[in-house]
Amino acid sequence: TILVIIPTLKESGFGFLQTSDLSNNTNVTVANSTQISKTVQITAADSKAATDGNSVDIDLQIQPFPISKDVDSQFMITFLQPSSQTVQVHVDYDFAITNNDSEVFRASTKTGQPLLHTAEGIVKIPYKFDQGGEYSLQVSVMGINFIPIKTEQALFDLKVS
């Protein structure tokens, strides 16, 4: 298998071209994975969860909190090394919001890239909810330090008033 990393300038995203059997591609985000071991109920402005493969801890901070519909919200995601809780740099990731099993937002779609990349390990993603209700937030990790990994996810549940 030969892995070629192709940097793109648009929104600091990175694309992966893998010259092996595509049926074994591990760089694909799975929106409804059954591997997620637990969901974290968001009850405060700062919540933390490990990805289901334990490669990275996700610190999710939400402003303002609690979230109300028709108010600009910001999600700050910090990727942490599990052993030291220091910031993990160079993470390939995606962030999605679903309501009633229907995706209402995916960060990578906004950039036209299959995944996103953070060099700093901390990202801020804005979103405005147009309806109240129960939402699921999914942070997917597809690579660490420019090395692709099998997609790992952390899932958070959020109530919007």
Side-chain angles (χ1 to χ4, degrees), residues 122-141:
I122 301 171
V123 297
K124 293 180 180 178
I125 301 172
Y127 185 74
K128 183 188 288 188
F129 293 87
D130 58 4
Q131 296 180 19
E134 306 261 340
Y135 290 84
S136 292
L137 311 177
Q138 180 184 48
V139 181
S140 302
V141 176

Side-chain angles (χ1 to χ4, degrees), residues 2 4-5 9 14 37 42-43 47 52 67 75 78 80 83 85 96 100 105 109 111 119 141 152 156 158:
I2 300 172
V4 180
I5 300 175
L9 298 177
F14 279 82
S37 56
I42 297 174
T43 58
S47 300
D52 54 0
I67 293 182
F75 299 92
T78 304
L80 300 170
S83 58
Q85 294 299 292
N100 295 325
F105 174 81
T109 302
T111 66
V141 176
E152 296 183 15
F156 301 85
L158 174 68

Side-chain angles (χ1 to χ4, degrees), residues 61-74:
Q61 297 178 27
I62 304 171
Q63 292 296 325
F65 189 84
I67 293 182
S68 300
K69 69 177 184 170
D70 298 325
V71 174
D72 289 328
S73 301
Q74 182 166 280

